[in-house]
Amino acid sequence: MENQFVIFKLEEEHYGVNIVTVESIIKVQEITKMPHVPDFVEGITNLRGVVIPVIDLRKRFSLPQTVETKDTRIIVVEMNGVMAGMVVDAVTEVVRVPEDNIEPPSPMVSSVDTAFITGIAKVDKRLIILLDLSKVLTGAEKEHLQAVVA
Amino acid sequence: MTARAQQKLPFRQSLRGKLLLAFIVVALLPLIVVGIIGLWKAQTALQTAAINNLISVRDIKTAQVESFFVERIKDAHVLAQNPFIVDGMRSLNLVVQSDANRNGNTPAEQMAKYVALYQNKANLANAKDGSAYSALHGQLHIYLQKIVENYGFYDLFLINAQTGLVEYTVAKGDDYGADLKHGSYAGTNLGKVFQLAANSNDPNFATIVDFAPYGPQHLPASFVAAPIFDGNGTKLGVLVFQLPIDEINRLMSESHGLSKTGETYLIGADKLMRSDSRFSTENTFLKQKVDTASANAALMGETGVRLTENYAGKKVLSAYRSVDIPGLDWAILAEIEQREAFSAITQLFQFVVIMFAIIIGLVLGGSYFVANQMTQPLHVLTAAAKRLAVGDAALTGVDENAAQKAFSRRDELGIVGHAFQELILYFNEMANAAQTIADGNLAVQIEPRSDKDVFGIAFNRMITDLRELVGQVSGMAEYVSTASQRLTTVATTSGQTTQHVTDTIEQIAEGSTAQTNSIEKASHTVDQVVKAIEGVAAGAQEQASAANRTMEMTQQLDNIIQTVARNAQQSASGSAQAAETARAGATTIEEAITGMGTIKTKVEQAAQKIQEMGKWSAKIGKIVAAIDDIASQTNLLALNAAIEAARTGAHSRQQIETLLGQLLVVQAGLLAELMVQREGEYPNDYWRQLAHATNIDNICITDDDGVIVFSDDASLLGFRFPEDPNDQAFEFRKLIHMSEGSVIQSIQQRSIDGQLYKYVGVPRKDKPGIVQVGFHATSVSQFQLQVGGFAVVADEVRKLAEKSAGAAKEIAQLIQTIQTTVADAVAAMDESTREVEVGTSLADEAGSALQNILQVVETVSAQVSGIAAAADEMRSAADELNNSVETVSAVIEENTAAAEEMTAGATAVSDELESIVSISEENTAIIQDISDTAEEMHRQVKETITAAHSLSDMADNLITLVSHFHLETGSEVLAQVDMFRRAHLTWVTNVESMLAGKMHLSEDDISDHTACALGEWFYGRGQEDFGSWEPFIALETPHMELHRIVTACVQAYNSGNITKAQAYLPQVESLSAEIVSHLDAMEQALQHSE
């Protein structure tokens, strides 16, 4: 059984998200800042008439901030019925990964903070960290997020 | 030299002092440390040994004393139980009682009778008085005497326990027969011990009493007593024996291990001695009181050793303890004088001190010797170095033997010394060389010791340079000398000549003045004649001269005009040439300008094109950006398409299956309908075709029992749907008797062959049964793949988009490069355009300048041409004028000819005279000038001579100076020979001048033959170098002679005897010539030898 993953870049690392969980990929468009929102929420944006919150994955992963480039993209995912945009450095490709090439995450690194890591995939000698973006936020954070768009 | 180096170093700072200190420290420090530690250890050990020794002596003695007394008590005990003694005692009691009874006496009275018989008769066994007592005494005494002797007792007593009478003693002293209960002896030691024993009912009792003065002589006595019982336990009497003090004294005075001053003694509770002192001649037993710290401590029951004073007040080491004897409260002391006890320590200390002293002495002596051995050569070296430092290579004041000893050592100092010797040698060599050079001998050669020998190399270079310099100076001096000599000669000659000339000219001047005067007179006369004639000729002459002047003027004019014309022509042709050249230049420049213009235009065009290109490339850049953007968009779209496809794929997999199921249900329904319509047989082939036509993989139709009766797949025929409710196919059975409904199963392995199929079933409509249709898994996945294919396509699209984005990027890069290049090109073009413009403007300027020149030249040329033409015209006019003047002149000439001829003669004469006068006047003036010039010249010549003389002198001096430097043997001779030669030739001219009165010479001017230049050389270096050379020796005589003759000549002249002086001249000449010839010979010989 093969799975398809959308590969994106943050800093120099490649991450993979199961394609089924991805709604779409859009270019960075105007983001409206919102008051009283969690630090990692960039703001809200209008996605074809639907208002979605935008989360900066760099902030979420405690990576240094960078300037937006022409490769910067927003990955739109559904999280518990709420659509949300994740800002990433670039989306490079969609790959098919045979199940055999996916390793479960090492128990060494699996903690509450890294629960969203679903595995490590080997693609052409590259190591890709597979994420479940719907788990990137904690329950409380998701409620926050719902409050943002409500 | 610093003050420190001159001073003697303080001992502590000197090497000798440091060495000494170092040796002493190295040798003595460990010695002292080891000595002190050893001494301390030894002292402790010796002290301990002494103490231990004393303690062991004390303990041995204690043991001996204790055992002695214990033995004695045991003895008493044993003797008291001796049956002989028991019988004896019983018999004595009986005998004394019976004798008393018989004689009617009390036992005491009866005993007094025995005392009278036996007292002081120790050896009397039986008085033979017939008494029973005597009989018994006879038996007892022999035995008991033996016992006393054997045991070493003083005495042995047998005492009646009841009466207390001493019934028997061995010694038969005062105490024999004494009543110990009531008598005088009751209070004595004996009484005490008797009472102790008599009161005891213990058959094993035995006791001792301490020593106390006893008996008539008050000698110390101690007694041991034991009661005597008979076999029935009746107390018969008491056995007492007196202990001897000898045994105790013997024990105590045994001095083994106590050396000279050691002693052991016993004391009692009264602190009186219980033994005789070893050192006292008198008895100290019970006499000497010992009230010392150790005695007190011992009596208190302590055991120990201490340093204290003994009873005699001496410092002793005292070991003490109490003595354990029942009934005696004694102590024992072992003492030895501290001085002796620790004498080994003192001796050791003395020995160590002596050894220390000896070793220190040896170390001091040895290190002083070694230090001296090492520093002595250093002192010598220092002294030598100091001498060398003040430049004294001979090392004055340095002891040569010491130096030689220091330098010939075989150790490092010897090496230093040797090196130093070499240094001195080197220094000496250099000094000698310098000395030689100082002496003027430059022929010395110095070999540098090494390429680092700065001194030697510099020296060598100095010598070479000096040699070269002196050689050069010498050569120069010689040259100057020769030149000045020559100058002098020439100047002298020219002086003489000018004098002559001057004289002659003066004479001529005088003559010519006279001549002038006479001519002037004649001239005057002729003038008067001429004036007369002139009057006649004047008219004609004026006319002729006027015509002549006119003619001359026209001639001159003609000449001028001709010159002008020629010049004009020349310049005209020159300017024409210039104009031509300028024109040619102008043409060239114009061509250049045109070329420049073309270039400029071309360049401008090119620049424009390139600028256009730049604009275009900018536009292309924009296009590329657009492409890039599109590529990125495409990529995004592709990604989204992939996502959409994947999502759709995942989503619809279920839907597809549902859809497929529904489709199959419909198809199965259709089949059911078909079967209703078409009754009869349906071959399998029909179903296969049907399946193929409808894209159904498998069709099965069962009968009412669920057994497959029709199928496109013949292998399935006869298969019966199982009745097991757990079977996967059981569901279908339910359909058999139903009229409506359907069963849709997902893909699974079918039970018949395990292949993956999706089956759908509906009830048959014609009769009970099932219509089942199936789709093979591959068909299902194909179905799904068609949807998945979209994703693949999307991926391809994305890849294409990526590629195009990459290509666009490359293009953008390329175009950027082109843009940069084009920008560079534009800049370069701009630059070159500017340069071309500058070039063009410069060319323009040059062209216009040339044009201007051309114009000017042309103008000039035109003007010159005009001038030339005018000049030509003028010339022809002048020619015409000339012709007419010539015609007139000819007529006038004819007219004046006669007058002229007339006056001509007179005028000619006058003119002649006039000219003669003027000439002679000129002559005179010239002669005067010449005369003045000659005078001046003469003066100058004189000055020159003087200068030449001084120059010559200087040159000679220089040669003399240079000659001090000995370049190479003979070379300075060659340099000087010429001078010598000249000097002695000069004498000839000088004497001649003197004789001619032109020069004054005094005797002082003539040096001694050893003091002149030749003399100095001859008797100095010459003698050294050529002393035995014949041509050299030959020189002496004529030289001496010359000096003598010249002196005589000058003397004669100065004393007025001119004739005599003149007579010397030939001699002077011949001697001078001889000297010169000798010098010539030497010179030649030396030159050949070179």
Side-chain angles (χ1 to χ4, degrees), chain A residues 4-137:
Chain A
Q4 291 189 68
F5 290 93
V6 175
I7 308 302
F8 66 88
K9 256 177 80 178
L10 268 181
E11 198 76 337
E12 289 307 311
E13 292 298 330
H14 287 85
Y15 297 88
V17 203
N18 197 322
I19 200 161
V20 182
T21 64
V22 178
E23 285 289 327
S24 66
I25 294 158
I26 56 170
K27 285 196 167 183
V28 176
Q29 51 190 40
E30 198 186 325
I31 294 169
T32 311
K33 300 271 181 193
M34 291 280 286
H36 303 301
V37 292
D39 178 46
F40 55 88
V41 177
E42 278 287 278
I44 53 168
T45 193
N46 184 344
L47 174 67
R48 292 188 285 274
V50 181
V51 174
I52 59 164
V54 178
I55 293 162
D56 189 344
L57 267 192
R58 273 185 171 270
K59 275 189 189 166
R60 184 64 202 144
F61 290 171
S62 307
L63 295 171
Q65 292 295 292
T66 52
V67 187
E68 189 180 293
T69 69
K70 69 182 175 66
D71 288 330
T72 309
R73 297 279 183 275
I74 295 174
I75 301 177
V76 181
V77 294
E78 195 197 287
M79 289 201 306
N80 300 10
V82 180
M83 299 262 268
M86 304 277 183
V87 180
V88 298
D89 287 358
V91 177
T92 56
E93 65 206 300
V94 172
V95 294
R96 287 169 191 278
V97 184
E99 205 114 33
D100 295 345
N101 288 7
I102 298 174
E103 305 264 347
S106 159
M108 296 274 287
V109 295
S110 49
S111 65
V112 178
D113 287 347
T114 56
F116 48 79
I117 297 177
T118 58
I120 310 291
K122 281 184 276 182
V123 179
D124 312 330
K125 292 181 183 173
R126 278 181 302 162
L127 283 184
I128 290 165
I129 302 162
L130 302 181
L131 304 178
D132 183 348
L133 285 180
S134 68
K135 287 183 186 161
V136 163
L137 300 187

Side-chain angles (χ1 to χ4, degrees), chain B residues 255-284:
Chain B
S255 64
H256 185 72
L258 286 170
S259 20
K260 281 183 194 162
T261 62
E263 65 170 335
T264 47
Y265 55 89
L266 293 160
I267 54 166
D270 52 7
K271 296 181 186 170
L272 288 174
M273 276 197 182
R274 292 293 188 275
S275 61
D276 281 332
S277 168
R278 190 185 154 197
F279 304 110
S280 179
T281 45
E282 289 170 25
N283 290 337
T284 55

Side-chain angles (χ1 to χ4, degrees), chain B residues 63-130:
Chain B
Q64 285 175 347
V65 168
E66 279 174 1
S67 73
F68 173 76
F69 281 99
V70 169
E71 292 288 326
R72 295 299 79 78
I73 290 167
K74 272 187 193 162
D75 288 346
H77 178 62
V78 167
L79 286 172
Q81 290 180 342
N82 187 319
F84 185 78
I85 287 173
V86 173
D87 278 347
M89 189 73 238
R90 189 194 297 122
S91 304
L92 271 174
N93 285 350
L94 287 172
V95 165
V96 171
Q97 190 65 51
S98 64
D99 280 355
N101 289 345
R102 195 179 333 126
N103 297 329
N105 290 336
T106 60
E109 284 166 353
Q110 189 56 45
M111 273 311 297
K113 294 201 189 273
Y114 302 146
V115 167
L117 280 174
Y118 291 97
Q119 188 145 43
N120 297 327
K121 290 170 184 166
N123 291 325
L124 183 64
N126 194 340
K128 300 205 169 137
D129 59 343

